[in-house]
Amino acid sequence: MTDHLQPHLDLALRHARSGMTVTPIPRLEIGVGQTTSGTSPCLYRSMICFILQGSKDVAIHDNLIRYDAEQYLVSALDLPLSGQIHDAGHGRPYVAVSLVLDPALLAQIASTMPPIRDADAPGSGIAINPMTPPLRDTLLRLLALLDTPSDMPVLAPMAERELLYRLLQGPQGRLLRHIARPEGALGRIRRAVEWIRDNHNSRLRIEALCEASGMSRASLHRHFVALTGLSPIQYQKQIRLQEARQLMLSGERTASDVAFAVGYESASQFSREYLRQFGAPPVRDVRQLRQAIESPAVH
């Protein structure tokens, strides 16, 4: 962490607990991890992530991206990834602030800026870029509103708009502008991803996916793999397993019940794929996760 981010860190730790905290500011969340973690699958939403302390590895396309407080991360769509927290522990937790992106708001802000001609599609759905003083200042003003809830309705939207404006001006402005354009390749793949998430417990029909995205089969496959690192079928499997994990964590349903609920036709196949994905059978994995959640020393 740089000294410039100490005020941000103080605010975040004052208003967040271990794990993920949804703040009263719309779309703003704070993640706190008490220890360095092992590599684990996770779902990155379409968001901006600012690390305030510690660092993190993210794997996509068989590439490993490490970022820390000197950079921010842009995720252009919901992406199942593998992540690992580093440099946490000994009273210095990993702390990150994420802002879920609103495409309509991005489009509105982009429309007020000078037009820029971009290539048809970005090369990947995720990217990192150096943190800048204007971004740090704007992020601090947004976080500071957590101390004055009465100011949030008026000032939070203004701070969010300024933050997005600064991001649109930055090197990843191109990626963000593509999020705001439903007619482009990224916008079409975002629709395909949304369709898969809404229908994750049904058999994947490529024809329906092509219709939802407005793309041919060949174009859909090419752009989907380029942006997510997965084929549509692989993506659906990742979403099913993530959903199954959440269902088991939130209730007392059996692994078999959850397997069928998320679309598996075979409980044994579900158990095999769950073990391959999360490193433990469903029941053991959920037991370990619950123990980690209940322990203040583990994230």
Side-chain angles (χ1 to χ4, degrees):
M1 184 201 71
T2 66
D3 291 340
H4 299 297
L5 290 172
Q6 188 63 52
H8 306 65
L9 183 63
D10 293 341
L11 280 161
L13 290 176
R14 193 154 63 240
H15 292 279
R17 60 187 182 277
S18 191
M20 186 62 69
T21 298
V22 177
T23 75
I25 298 175
R27 294 177 288 282
L28 190 75
E29 299 178 358
I30 303 171
V32 178
Q34 298 295 343
T35 62
T36 294
S37 71
T39 301
S40 61
C42 53
L43 181 65
Y44 267 49
R45 288 169 299 166
S46 178
M47 65 180 186
I48 309 294
C49 185
F50 304 94
I51 291 179
L52 305 182
Q53 184 165 267
S55 63
K56 191 170 188 179
D57 286 345
V58 176
I60 183 173
H61 295 270
D62 296 323
N63 294 325
L64 196 64
I65 300 172
R66 175 171 288 195
Y67 68 113
D68 56 24
E70 299 291 342
Q71 298 96 24
Y72 63 90
L73 177 141
V74 180
S75 177
L77 65 169
D78 294 352
L79 293 170
L81 305 169
S82 292
Q84 183 176 14
I85 291 172
H86 292 281
D87 308 316
H90 307 292
R92 290 175 55 85
Y94 165 87
V95 182
V97 175
S98 58
L99 177 68
V100 177
L101 292 170
D102 180 343
L105 182 56
L106 272 173
Q108 185 184 91
I109 298 168
S111 70
T112 67
M113 301 172 68
I116 299 175
R117 198 175 167 128
D118 294 316
D120 181 55
S124 174
I126 196 166
I128 62 170
N129 244 73
M131 190 66 157
T132 65
L135 275 175
R136 280 199 300 266
D137 293 345
T138 309
L139 180 61
L140 180 59
R141 285 197 294 277
L142 184 62
L143 288 170
L145 293 172
L146 294 172
D147 281 346
T148 56
S150 61
D151 291 336
M152 287 180 192
V154 173
L155 298 183
M158 296 169 62
E160 181 183 11
R161 287 181 66 91
E162 182 181 351
L163 192 66
L164 294 177
Y165 172 75
R166 299 291 183 193
L167 291 164
L168 282 163
Q169 285 184 314
Q172 295 308 326
R174 171 174 170 262
L175 184 58
L176 294 169
R177 285 189 293 274
H178 276 286
I179 294 173
R181 293 175 185 164
E183 75 282 358
L186 177 55
R188 293 172 188 268
I189 294 302
R190 283 172 61 91
R191 291 202 296 273
V193 162
E194 183 178 354
W195 189 94
I196 293 174
R197 297 203 66 182
D198 289 344
N199 298 275
H200 68 270
N201 57 355
S202 303
R203 169 176 280 222
L204 182 64
R205 296 184 296 113
I206 296 299
E207 295 79 9
L209 201 57
C210 290
E211 183 178 349
S213 63
M215 305 177 86
S216 68
R217 182 185 290 254
S219 181
L220 170 69
H221 183 82
R222 182 175 71 255
H223 288 297
F224 201 101
V225 171
L227 287 164
T228 70
L230 301 166
S231 70
I233 291 176
Q234 290 171 326
Y235 186 96
Q236 185 193 52
K237 181 189 295 185
Q238 297 277 327
I239 294 299
R240 282 179 170 179
L241 291 170
Q242 293 280 357
E243 176 67 15
R245 201 184 204 191
Q246 290 304 313
L247 286 174
M248 294 186 67
L249 269 174
S250 61
E252 299 298 329
R253 301 170 72 172
T254 67
S256 294
D257 287 343
V258 167
F260 296 126
V262 299
Y264 278 89
E265 298 178 358
S266 164
S268 60
Q269 181 188 3
F270 166 71
S271 294
R272 287 194 303 272
E273 293 186 355
Y274 193 104
L275 171 62
R276 191 179 305 122
Q277 177 75 0
F278 297 114
V283 174
R284 189 196 308 164
D285 175 62
V286 170
R287 187 189 314 123
Q288 292 170 343
L289 283 171
R290 284 177 175 158
Q291 290 171 350
I293 292 170
E294 292 166 1
S295 170
V298 181
H299 175 47

